[in-house]
Amino acid sequence: MFIADIKRVVEQVSRDKGIDAEILIRALEEALRSAARKKFGSKVDIEAQYSPETGEIEVFQFKEVVETVTDPDLQISMAEGRKLDPDCEMGDSLGTKMDTSTFGRIAAQSAKQVIIQKMKDAERDAVYASYIDRKGEVINGIVQRVDRGGIIVNLGSTEAILPAREQIPKEAYRRGDRIRAIILDVLYDTRGPQIVLSRTHPDLLINLFKTEVPEISEGIVEVKGAAREPGSRAKFAVFSNDSDIDPVGACVGMKGSRVQNVVQELRGEKIDIVTWHMDSARYVCNALAPAEISRVIIDEENRSMEVIVPDEFLSVAIGKRGQNVRLASKLTGWHLDVNSESRYDEQLKQGHQSLMDVSGVDEALADAFVKQGLYSPEELAESTVDDLIEIRGLEADRAAELIDSAKRHIAEGSDQPPRTPTDPEETDETEKASDSASSEDDSPQEDHSS
């Protein structure tokens, strides 16, 4: 069982399994110690040591030199000790090499189990160490089998799983198919590391473009964000550090070759490439393309924007089932409310009229309030004196009177404030607009808006 040419076996296993040879040698040493204790009991002092010169693991039993031997397994007499080492003294510990062939079948089996377990542990640790720093990396594999909806993928050195939730809808694979995905997570489990893959994560889109577009890998073009509805549509924001290079054009490629390679890999997922801008409003306008934007009202505190578009662009801006505005919101990180110009004008009229119903507010003052973003008596009542002083230079006493007047107006049950785009009726209108979205919205886009 324990051969002199163990060095060759260790090197081969280390090479095939990717396990450090030192770990294997330590496992073999421990296995031999375990076998010796099985044979001679747990009290014996055993040491196992690998010899690089001979290529074998030697096992030694150590005994203490005593005057009178009371425990032969642990002690040796001075006379016997002098035969092993003429210079030994009382109390010294002397080691004698053991014949491993005498360990017996049970001891050998125990050693084998230790070796197998240690190799499994070492292999698990090696796989974990090799993949833990590769999160977010695109990897290729071969479909091994489908297990409860999840796809088991052979990566060569180990297996990974593509859970059902990380698969692109309506995408089907069979055994032997090649598959490309990103490493989403690496979990350490007692049964072995579990490598979790994903084909729905936005990072897959980003990494595929890095592969196709040299300008991205070289750092000339920066990827600023990506948002996906896997299998349907995606938005991809880029920015160029070189004014002579168009970031959108670089990603599209000659005759659309670069973007089409990514589209094919994602099974026809439509991709809008938009230009990132440091100005949030400009960025949102780019993200909502191909819709034209009339104006944007920004609420920094709540990180939201109300986007006003011409009536004919409402369905385009919203997209089919709200997809365009939803993806733009994910991409930019802003909550977006899209409204048509006619609806917005109606709201302004209603807001203007409701403000004029407040005692002390004339038409000119109502105009000033609306221009400053106060569209209802409620908003006026919630304002502070300092807020109103900045509007048309109102004096503090006059500002306080207007706030009190607005509060009284509300308490007396005055007209309700104008609806916002989040009212149920407006939501219904938006749904109708989205259902009638033009076919242009559903065609593949490579947005060149600035």
Side-chain angles (χ1 to χ4, degrees):
M1 174 187 150
F2 304 110
I3 59 175
D5 199 16
I6 200 169
K7 182 177 182 179
R8 179 179 58 82
V9 176
V10 166
E11 289 176 351
Q12 182 177 344
V13 173
S14 176
R15 188 168 52 250
D16 294 345
K17 297 290 187 180
I19 304 172
D20 188 354
E22 191 67 26
I23 294 175
L24 289 172
I25 290 169
R26 298 285 84 82
L28 289 169
E29 289 175 348
E30 183 176 334
L32 283 169
R33 285 194 295 270
S34 174
R37 291 192 176 98
K38 278 279 186 181
K39 174 68 175 177
F40 302 104
S42 59
K43 293 193 302 180
V44 293
D45 186 4
I46 300 291
E47 280 193 15
Q49 188 173 7
Y50 175 72
S51 173
E53 294 79 14
T54 63
E56 73 172 312
I57 296 177
E58 300 172 325
V59 180
F60 296 89
Q61 180 179 7
F62 285 85
K63 296 182 180 182
E64 183 184 0
V65 178
V66 295
E67 186 173 347
T68 304
V69 176
T70 58
D71 190 341
D73 290 335
L74 300 175
Q75 298 170 338
I76 189 173
S77 67
M78 178 61 76
E80 292 295 325
R82 287 285 168 84
K83 292 178 183 179
L84 298 174
D85 181 3
D87 297 328
C88 75
E89 296 179 359
M90 200 70 66
D92 286 352
S93 182
L94 298 179
T96 56
K97 187 176 179 180
M98 304 179 71
D99 183 3
T100 57
S101 63
T102 64
F103 286 179
R105 184 181 61 81
I106 296 177
Q109 185 66 26
S110 174
K112 181 180 178 182
Q113 290 174 353
V114 171
I115 292 172
I116 292 172
Q117 185 57 49
K118 285 293 181 182
M119 285 184 61
K120 284 182 178 178
D121 292 345
E123 187 175 359
R124 177 188 63 199
D125 292 343
V127 171
Y128 182 80
S130 65
Y131 283 94
I132 187 62
D133 294 326
R134 297 175 64 183
K135 288 183 183 180
E137 180 181 323
V138 176
I139 197 166
N140 296 308
I142 298 175
V143 175
Q144 194 83 2
R145 64 184 185 279
V146 177
D147 185 14
R148 298 177 185 175
I151 298 174
I152 307 301
V153 181
N154 187 346
L155 302 181
S157 59
T158 188
E159 289 183 345
I161 183 169
L162 179 64
R165 67 179 181 278
E166 299 298 336
Q167 298 172 28
I168 295 176
K170 299 180 182 179
E171 193 174 56
Y173 287 94
R174 293 179 298 178
R175 180 184 174 88
D177 288 349
R178 297 192 66 84
I179 193 167
R180 205 173 185 189
I182 66 161
I183 299 175
L184 182 65
D185 204 357
V186 182
L187 308 174
Y188 194 87
D189 193 276
T190 54
R191 296 169 295 178
Q194 188 177 38
I195 300 166
V196 183
L197 305 180
S198 174
R199 280 184 56 78
T200 63
H201 199 281
D203 284 351
L204 176 61
L205 180 66
I206 294 172
N207 278 283
L208 290 174
F209 269 104
K210 284 181 180 178
T211 303
E212 295 291 337
V213 184
E215 290 86 346
I216 294 179
S217 57
E218 293 168 7
I220 300 172
V221 173
E222 286 185 44
V223 179
K224 292 294 187 177
R228 296 177 64 192
E229 292 194 354
S232 177
R233 193 168 180 176
K235 287 186 181 287
F236 186 71
V238 288
F239 174 77
S240 177
N241 292 311
D242 186 337
S243 58
D244 294 331
I245 293 180
D246 173 24
V248 174
C251 293
V252 172
M254 187 72 68
K255 297 182 179 179
S257 59
R258 291 174 174 175
V259 70
Q260 281 306 315
N261 288 338
V262 178
V263 169
Q264 288 173 11
E265 175 60 38
L266 299 179
R267 302 296 192 270
E269 189 171 307
K270 299 166 189 172
I271 301 173
D272 299 338
I273 305 174
V274 302
T275 304
W276 177 85
H277 200 285
M278 65 183 300
D279 180 85
S280 298
R282 289 282 299 277
Y283 184 26
V284 165
C285 291
N286 292 347
L288 283 171
E292 292 183 7
I293 310 299
S294 300
R295 63 177 70 88
V296 177
I297 302 166
I298 303 174
D299 181 354
E300 292 278 1
E301 184 177 348
N302 296 313
R303 198 167 176 76
S304 66
M305 294 188 192
E306 184 178 9
V307 182
I308 312 303
V309 301
D311 288 27
E312 63 271 23
F313 280 99
L314 179 62
S315 62
V316 177
I318 294 172
K320 190 175 182 180
R321 301 185 187 90
Q323 187 181 65
N324 193 52
V325 68
R326 189 164 57 247
L327 281 172
S329 180
K330 287 181 183 178
L331 182 68
T332 60
W334 286 78
H335 174 73
L336 305 179
D337 284 326
V338 178
N339 214 350
S340 65
E341 283 185 338
S342 59
R343 182 62 190 153
Y344 178 70
D345 291 342
E346 180 63 25
Q347 288 177 345
L348 288 184
K349 290 178 182 178
Q350 292 179 0
H352 188 275
Q353 183 58 50
S354 66
L355 286 168
M356 289 183 61
D357 290 339
V358 175
S359 177
V361 178
D362 55 20
E363 186 172 354
L365 197 53
D367 288 341
F369 286 157
V370 169
K371 287 179 181 178
Q372 291 299 315
L374 298 178
Y375 302 112
S376 67
E378 280 75 10
E379 291 179 354
L380 177 59
E382 292 172 359
S383 302
T384 65
V385 171
D386 291 338
D387 292 336
L388 298 189
I389 288 177
E390 296 178 4
I391 302 176
R392 298 191 65 192
L394 290 173
E395 295 182 356
D397 291 345
R398 172 68 171 147
E401 288 177 5
L402 289 172
I403 293 172
D404 289 340
S405 180
K407 291 178 179 178
R408 287 195 302 272
H409 179 76
I410 296 169
E412 292 169 359
S414 62
D415 294 339
Q416 293 298 314
R419 291 182 294 103
T420 66
T422 56
D423 284 345
E425 185 179 338
E426 178 65 18
T427 302
D428 292 339
E429 181 180 324
T430 299
E431 291 291 339
K432 292 175 184 177
S434 66
D435 287 339
S436 61
S438 66
S439 59
E440 177 186 1
D441 181 60
D442 293 327
S443 61
Q445 310 263 1
E446 285 79 52
D447 188 339
H448 295 264
S449 63
S450 59

